[in-house]
Amino acid sequence: MRADRLFSILLILSSKGMLTGKALAEHFEVSVRTIYRDIDKMSEAGIPVAAIGGTAGGFYLMENYRLDNLYLNKEEMNTVRAVLDSLNVIFGRNQQFNDIVLKFQHVYNLEDHKDQKLSIDMSHSSMEEELKEYLFTINKGIENSRVMIFQYINRNMEYLERCVEPMRIEFVQGQWYVTGYCRNRQEYRKFKLVRIKEMSLGDSFLKRNISDEELDEIFHKSYESKNIRVKLKFTNRIGEQLAEYFLKSNIKKSEDGYFVVEEYFPYEEGLIKFILGFGSECEVISPVYLREDIINYLKKTLANYNG
């Protein structure tokens, strides 16, 4: 275990630069004294770990030291292999991805699957073939800095043309997204692939000077601006399953046997549909206007069956 931790410390310092002993101790769930002993062992082994004292200090690898090889144990390689197998379903047409797979197969003998205990399915069965085409096109657009043009369905069920400078592909909560700068809205946006139709590539564009961290902050602020605090009450029957949908720290059991959840959600139609997905097991306690929105939504739905 200690050898694994020493190598992990080396990888972390190599990729993240300077870190404090406290940060490393919290990461590995050991004492700071243990980290100091590990650093000493690394130094004895000839690894140039340097330290800077003070509140702004920490441990770091001296300049020009780098790792020439990637070492993975059998269990770690099985995990990587499971991910590669899943991604191959959708990225199989991507030459760069195929080259990566071939390199791993050559170095780690990936042909042997008998010990694989992890299976990951990242496909989307309702549009698997379209997904392959979209991911191939998006990746080409990102690599070659070409604008994407597609029809996108909005919340009003209207298809509108979008012209987007693609920046990255994301897989979030079971859905694929393309993130980029929307020329129509003149802002950074995320587009869900299941809502896209008729995708093609257009002219080249000049990449925008923005980091992933800055992009994430833009989306975080946009998300927060739409948030409202919602209080939900659930029956005891479904209470034990709530950890699948909400943070455990936000789930409380009341004295009368009900479960209460308080969280922030974006105020949009998707929130109403999410709540109604729990059926009669859930009741909105607050805000009052959300209760009224749900009542009106249900009345419109019932009208379809009262003809």
Side-chain angles (χ1 to χ4, degrees), residues 13 17-26 32 35-36 54-59:
L13 293 179
M18 186 164 60
L19 283 176
T20 64
K22 181 181 179 182
L24 289 169
E26 290 175 351
V32 174
I35 292 297
Y36 287 160
T55 56
F59 297 105

Side-chain angles (χ1 to χ4, degrees), residues 115-289:
D115 294 325
Q116 187 168 326
K117 299 179 179 64
L118 178 65
S119 176
I120 303 172
D121 185 0
M122 298 179 72
S123 62
H124 196 297
S125 58
S126 67
M127 56 169 293
E128 188 167 312
E129 291 305 315
E130 283 182 290
L131 183 60
K132 291 180 183 179
E133 292 294 330
Y134 287 171
L135 291 173
F136 176 75
T137 303
I138 295 169
N139 189 68
K140 190 175 179 181
I142 294 173
E143 288 184 347
N144 300 324
S145 298
R146 292 181 60 188
V147 172
M148 288 170 39
I149 303 167
F150 53 83
Q151 297 292 317
Y152 193 72
I153 188 170
N154 60 21
R155 293 188 178 89
N156 296 321
M157 306 304 290
E158 303 169 328
Y159 274 105
L160 301 173
E161 185 174 273
R162 291 285 183 263
C163 185
V164 176
E165 300 170 12
M167 301 176 68
R168 67 189 186 193
I169 300 170
E170 300 179 52
F171 185 73
V172 182
Q173 296 182 343
Q175 292 288 347
W176 288 94
Y177 296 81
V178 56
T179 298
Y181 184 81
C182 178
R183 292 183 174 179
N184 304 83
R185 302 296 187 189
Q186 295 188 355
E187 61 183 2
Y188 295 100
R189 301 285 291 268
K190 290 186 179 182
F191 299 91
K192 190 180 291 188
L193 264 59
V194 294
R195 294 186 178 183
I196 291 177
K197 298 291 182 184
E198 302 175 15
M199 181 188 293
S200 62
L201 295 179
D203 297 333
S204 299
F205 65 89
L206 185 64
K207 288 185 178 180
R208 295 177 182 271
N209 186 24
I210 182 171
S211 66
D212 284 339
E213 290 76 15
E214 291 172 322
L215 197 58
D216 289 338
E217 183 64 19
I218 289 173
F219 287 119
H220 178 70
K221 288 182 178 179
S222 174
Y223 186 85
E224 281 194 331
S225 68
K226 302 175 184 176
N227 277 358
I228 59 171
R229 187 170 183 82
V230 178
K231 186 175 183 179
L232 304 172
K233 184 172 78 171
F234 293 88
T235 64
N236 182 61
R237 194 173 76 87
I238 197 175
E240 300 300 331
Q241 303 174 29
L242 295 179
E244 298 179 25
Y245 307 96
F246 307 100
L247 293 174
K248 288 184 178 181
S249 58
N250 293 338
I251 304 172
K252 309 295 180 184
K253 190 171 184 177
S254 60
E255 294 181 358
D256 56 6
Y258 286 93
F259 285 80
V260 176
V261 174
E262 290 191 67
E263 279 197 16
Y264 284 94
F265 297 92
Y267 183 42
E268 56 189 21
E269 185 177 349
L271 173 59
I272 295 176
K273 293 179 179 179
F274 171 71
I275 293 172
L276 290 179
F278 293 103
S280 60
E281 308 291 343
C282 175
E283 177 190 354
V284 175
I285 303 302
S286 63
V288 175
Y289 59 81

